Amino acid sequence: MLSGSLEVIGLIVLAIYIIGMLGIGVYCNKKYANNLSGFLTGGRNLGPWVFALTYGSTYLSASTFIGNTGTAYKAGMAYLMMPVAQVVLLPLGLIFFSHGLRRVSVRLNAMTLPEYISKRFKSNFASIIASVVIIIFMVPYMVGVIKGGALSLASLLGLSYEVAVFLVAGVACVYLIFGGYMARCYTDVIQGLLMAFGMLAVLVAGFFIVGGPTEIAAGVAASDPALLETPGPMGWSNLFLFSAVYALTPWGLPQLVQTNFTIKDKKTIYVSSIVLSIWLGAILIGSMIIGNMGRAYFGDQFIDNPDLVFPNLVLTFFPNILGAVVIVAVIAAAMSTIDGVLMTSGSAFGVDIYKKFIRKDASEKQTILVSNITMFVIIAVVIVGSFMELPMLSYLNSYAFSVIAGTLVVPVFAGVYSKKGTTAGCVASMLAGGLGTLFFYMVMPGGNYILGCPPFVSGAIVSTIVFFVVSKYTQPLPEAFVEDLFSKEAEEGAYASENIEIGSEK
Amino acid sequence: IFYLGWFVGPILTVLTAAYCTYRYVKYLKTGD
């Protein structure tokens, strides 16, 4: 950990960061969080930089710094190619899919993913499935993210683990409750920039201290010559498949899909894809190079606990204020993911269950209040979960994302691209996708592959087949309703400015 | 030296950014 006066400097940098994040929450409270649309979508007005960094920093978390570098430290230089599919497919995904999601969500006036699925396929049951899956499986995921961030913070700044958990989880919850969606987005911009700075600072310092590719390769070879082999034990297909799966899951994850509902215009899509490609490339490829730098520098010192590689590189390279900034970047990475997931979970209950089923005449203020109370309760459960060693939580965390994405990815795409989907087809595909992904994990513990496919891909394939087969033999949706979603008017109205007055109370 | 791994990621990052830039320029010219 940072020692002596450096520890004090580290705590000061952390305090400045936390005050900044809370300040953004207070600012957004006045400007955006007074009505439901402002609270949930910020008036659907995200510009390119805010959208790109919100999307990217929600997608990556502290595990990018700690887990990626640790994995590359153990696996060697083959992993330099590991993130390639993500770096290519994620920005291209925005170009090809964002506009359609924005168009349909505006036409349906949907602000959350369960609401989008419910209105698109005219099914309240689909909304319940989506909301329940989100709330149940997001909790263990949040526990994993908060544990990672808190352990880093505790080990590097000398705080107790309990205090670190309260800081990472509590601060994110407070600025969300104050400022809603725009607080999430504006803090994500700061956090995304911090993440890029932190990763690049370590990378550049490493090139000066450890050396360039030749020196890194020599150091890695001295530790274990087998680590120079590409593709290594994984084989070519798995090397790229693994990354490709991570590039596909965002299209089934509500905290990422919903950001597409809120883009300002088409220009935002194109500019943000440029920003995202460079930002992702720098961070993901950087993390893999840094892992190999760690192997060259430390040898096999951390072979039993590779999660310590990145923190120790930071302490070695930057025994100064820069080290404190990089540590805060790791915390920012955790917080930027937590805020998106927490906001999604809160609205899943407040908007998609409470206002839709429990109290249909609830005012916007009441719906926001219930969403906020839900976020508070969920974060309390997550904090308690972070203090306890529950094997069940770790077990659920290992496949939480896959089950959520497996449940939702087919209705998300079908809603934009298929005119043939029916209510029954949607519900059946969600059940088949979620339960199928779960089943593939159960029959192949550890998330191993079925016929070469990861469980999420297998679940998504089953979900797709079920969607089209059931839709073929069940009652179609009203033709006029479906045609309207694909009409010229829908296309022209895709970026109609939100019919709310930001800052007005309802 | 087959080393390629050091270049594949950065080159594909640049190519992806270049394609996204091409699409942006096309949008500015045609609105699509």
Side-chain angles (χ1 to χ4, degrees):
Chain A
M1 60 180 238
L2 293 174
S3 55
S5 61
L6 282 175
E7 191 182 333
V8 176
I9 292 172
L11 290 171
I12 291 171
V13 171
L14 180 66
I16 292 170
Y17 166 75
I18 287 172
I19 291 167
M21 295 301 103
L22 295 176
I24 289 173
V26 172
Y27 166 77
C28 291
N29 178 265
K30 298 285 183 196
K31 194 165 181 186
Y32 297 103
N34 289 320
N35 57 48
L36 194 58
S37 180
F39 181 77
L40 289 175
T41 68
R44 298 184 193 261
N45 210 20
L46 289 197
W49 281 86
V50 179
F51 175 58
L53 290 170
T54 297
Y55 195 89
S57 64
T58 302
Y59 176 68
L60 301 181
S61 81
S63 68
T64 308
F65 289 83
I66 308 297
N68 277 17
T69 51
T71 304
Y73 171 87
K74 282 190 83 166
M77 302 193 88
Y79 267 54
L80 293 176
M81 292 203 202
M82 172 63 113
V84 163
Q86 286 159 283
V87 171
V88 173
L89 294 177
L90 245 82
L92 294 187
L94 295 187
I95 285 180
F96 294 123
F97 306 137
S98 287
H99 171 70
L101 278 168
R102 164 76 200 199
R103 184 195 77 227
V104 176
S105 71
V106 167
R107 202 64 175 169
L108 295 169
N109 192 25
M111 292 186 280
T112 68
L113 186 50
E115 188 177 28
Y116 162 88
I117 293 173
S118 165
K119 287 182 172 177
R120 174 62 183 83
F121 293 102
K122 296 190 175 296
S123 169
N124 285 338
F125 188 46
S127 172
I128 294 173
I129 296 172
S131 303
V132 169
V133 166
I134 288 168
I135 292 169
I136 288 177
F137 284 96
M138 284 301 188
V139 168
Y141 174 71
M142 280 192 266
V143 170
V145 172
I146 284 174
K147 271 188 169 180
L151 283 170
S152 305
L153 187 60
S155 67
L156 289 163
L157 283 184
L159 297 170
S160 76
Y161 171 71
E162 288 75 13
V163 169
V165 166
F166 272 109
L167 279 177
V168 175
V171 170
C173 185
V174 169
Y175 69 65
L176 272 184
I177 285 175
F178 265 106
Y181 182 73
M182 288 313 291
R184 170 198 164 185
C185 294
Y186 286 150
T187 53
D188 280 2
V189 170
I190 305 292
Q191 289 156 348
L193 292 173
L194 266 174
M195 288 164 72
F197 173 80
M199 195 65 86
L200 290 175
V202 175
L203 188 66
V204 171
F207 280 133
F208 279 105
I209 294 169
V210 180
T214 310
E215 288 81 4
I216 293 171
V220 170
S223 177
D224 182 354
L227 297 178
L228 292 187
E229 294 299 328
T230 300
M234 286 186 82
W236 285 109
S237 60
N238 286 348
L239 191 62
F240 291 108
L241 184 65
F242 213 75
S243 175
V245 169
Y246 275 110
L248 290 174
T249 48
W251 299 102
L253 296 175
Q255 72 273 26
L256 289 163
V257 172
Q258 284 172 203
T259 56
N260 292 283
F261 297 173
T262 63
I263 47 183
K264 185 178 180 180
D265 50 27
K266 252 191 171 175
K267 174 188 168 186
T268 293
I269 295 173
Y270 294 119
V271 176
S272 62
S273 66
I274 301 168
V275 174
L276 187 66
S277 61
I278 295 166
W279 185 88
L280 263 184
I283 290 182
L284 286 176
I285 295 168
S287 71
M288 296 302 173
I289 294 174
I290 289 168
N292 279 283
M293 281 176 176
R295 190 65 182 232
Y297 194 79
F298 294 124
D300 50 12
Q301 184 181 342
F302 296 111
I303 201 73
D304 293 327
N305 195 352
D307 285 357
L308 294 175
V309 171
F310 188 83
N312 277 283
L313 278 176
V314 173
L315 294 177
T316 307
F317 292 173
F318 304 119
N320 50 39
I321 191 169
L322 256 182
V325 176
V326 176
I327 292 165
V328 168
V330 178
I331 305 311
M335 231 179 253
S336 63
T337 300
I338 286 296
D339 62 17
V341 175
L342 186 59
M343 180 101 205
T344 304
S345 305
S347 65
F349 182 79
V351 176
D352 299 307
I353 292 180
Y354 176 76
K355 183 163 173 58
K356 198 173 176 68
F357 300 108
I358 297 174
R359 193 171 168 189
K360 293 181 180 180
D361 62 344
S363 70
E364 296 200 349
K365 282 278 189 193
Q366 288 167 330
T367 307
I368 292 172
L369 179 64
V370 171
S371 296
N372 281 336
I373 291 170
T374 307
M375 286 197 275
F376 185 79
V377 170
I378 287 174
I379 210 70
V381 171
V382 167
I383 287 172
V384 171
S386 302
F387 291 158
M388 300 164 76
E389 276 304 324
L390 294 174
M392 187 64 187
L393 271 180
S394 302
Y395 181 60
L396 283 172
N397 180 34
S398 65
Y399 54 74
F401 257 32
S402 293
V403 173
I404 296 169
T407 305
L408 302 176
V409 71
V410 171
V412 165
F413 278 125
V416 177
Y417 296 106
S418 171
K419 293 183 178 181
K420 296 178 179 176
T422 66
T423 300
C426 169
V427 170
S429 78
M430 291 172 77
L431 293 172
L435 295 173
T437 304
L438 210 53
F439 170 76
F440 289 127
Y441 270 107
M442 298 293 182
V443 295
M444 300 287 275
N448 290 314
Y449 297 173
I450 318 285
L451 301 176
C453 290
F456 158 68
V457 176
S458 307
I461 290 171
V462 170
S463 179
T464 305
I465 294 168
V466 167
F467 177 83
F468 285 109
V469 169
V470 174
S471 292
K472 187 174 173 62
Y473 296 105
T474 51
Q475 186 179 1
L477 293 167
E479 191 177 347
F481 165 75
V482 176
E483 287 303 328
D484 177 65
L485 294 174
F486 292 86
S487 66
K488 192 178 174 188
E489 289 78 11
E491 183 67 29
E492 288 170 350
Y495 300 101
S497 60
E498 186 79 339
N499 190 23
I500 67 157
E501 194 178 323
I502 294 297
S504 67
E505 296 205 20
K506 283 192 181 181
Chain B
I1 303 175
F2 181 68
Y3 175 77
L4 211 59
W6 280 94
F7 301 100
V8 167
I11 287 172
L12 284 175
T13 299
V14 170
L15 286 177
T16 304
Y19 175 74
C20 296
T21 306
Y22 157 73
R23 289 296 301 260
Y24 177 45
V25 172
K26 186 182 165 201
Y27 160 75
L28 290 177
K29 285 182 177 173
T30 66
D32 188 28

